[in-house]
Amino acid sequence: MIKSHSDLVLEITAHDADTVENDLNAAVEIVRQHAMQEGRHGILVTQHGHTRYTVAVSPDVPFGQTHERRELGQRET
């Protein structure tokens, strides 16, 4: 499931690998369109747990690039 927090931040929650991959690819493409229109920032994909990710336009990422990071904290139920 892709949940929009804004035009520039999408949250992905999925419980199987195929859905994670498909939803992440779709979310990156949506966010990429916004990043290209803006022309200043890149895309940051963050893994928050085994089933939750965010994809966002980020000023911390150079334009034209996509970075990934992990912020694995508490266990998910």
Side-chain angles (χ1 to χ4, degrees):
M1 171 182 19
I2 300 175
K3 181 177 181 181
S4 178
H5 290 279
S6 74
D7 288 341
L8 305 178
V9 179
L10 300 176
E11 180 179 340
I12 291 79
T13 303
H15 297 283
D16 65 86
D18 288 337
T19 303
V20 167
E21 182 177 359
N22 290 335
D23 286 358
L24 279 173
N25 287 337
V28 166
E29 187 53 39
I30 292 166
V31 172
R32 183 185 324 273
Q33 291 175 14
H34 288 282
M36 290 181 70
Q37 288 175 355
E38 189 178 271
R40 293 183 295 160
H41 306 301
I43 299 168
L44 180 62
V45 179
T46 305
Q47 181 182 10
H48 300 279
H50 297 292
T51 62
R52 193 169 73 84
Y53 299 79
T54 54
V55 178
V57 173
S58 173
D60 298 330
V61 179
F63 177 69
Q65 294 184 18
T66 300
H67 291 186
E68 299 177 6
R69 75 175 176 200
R70 289 189 174 141
E71 288 186 353
L72 302 177
Q74 298 178 350
R75 294 183 65 176
E76 296 179 15
T77 56

